[in-house]
Amino acid sequence: QLVESGGGRVQSGGSLSLSCAASGFSVDDYAVGWFRQAPGQEREGVSCISDSDDGSVTQYADSAKGRFTISRDKAKNRVYLQMDSLRPEDTADYYCAANLRCSFTPGSSWFWGQGTQVTVSS
């Protein structure tokens, strides 16, 4: 199970920290990604974290680079998404999901959480 939290309403330029709590599996055994879906738009990948021989590998969509930071706490079995310098266009439902490997393509291969809403006002 994946449970997101930390969403809310913030003004443009503000920050939010999303949390994804995993149960039933270990976050260090799977890739965990953050996706978002704005009203009337398709779900899109935002960031993803996975294991490598040297530690964690992180990936970011162009829209997230330099503003969002994904991290993982193996002891707490959680994955976080720190979102800074938020813009109105970041408004969306944010979902965390687990898969065998990172990808920004949403689909049935991902195991999804229920989502958390983020609203950025101008």
Side-chain angles (χ1 to χ4, degrees):
Q1 185 180 15
L2 293 169
V3 180
E4 301 94 333
S5 61
R9 179 180 292 270
V10 65
Q11 287 191 330
S12 181
S15 298
L16 280 175
S17 182
L18 305 184
S19 176
C20 174
S23 59
F25 69 97
S26 176
V27 297
D28 54 336
D29 290 337
Y30 291 86
V32 178
W34 284 97
F35 294 77
R36 67 186 183 186
Q37 187 167 17
Q41 297 188 21
E42 294 185 351
R43 193 168 297 189
E44 62 177 4
V46 175
S47 184
C48 191
I49 188 167
S50 60
D51 251 1
S52 74
D53 292 340
D54 300 323
S56 297
V57 176
T58 58
Q59 300 178 29
Y60 297 93
D62 288 344
S63 60
K65 287 178 182 176
R67 300 188 302 126
F68 294 1
T69 304
I70 192 170
S71 62
R72 181 171 59 181
D73 188 328
K74 296 180 181 181
K76 295 183 177 179
N77 212 27
R78 287 175 179 257
V79 174
Y80 303 95
L81 186 68
Q82 176 66 37
M83 303 188 296
D84 299 317
S85 302
L86 283 162
R87 306 164 180 166
E89 53 264 39
D90 294 318
T91 295
D93 291 327
Y94 282 72
Y95 300 86
C96 69
N99 206 337
L100 294 178
R101 59 185 58 86
C102 277
S103 165
F104 284 162
T105 303
S108 59
S109 64
W110 289 91
F111 178 72
W112 296 95
Q114 85 290 348
T116 186
Q117 190 173 57
V118 171
T119 302
V120 184
S121 58
S122 57

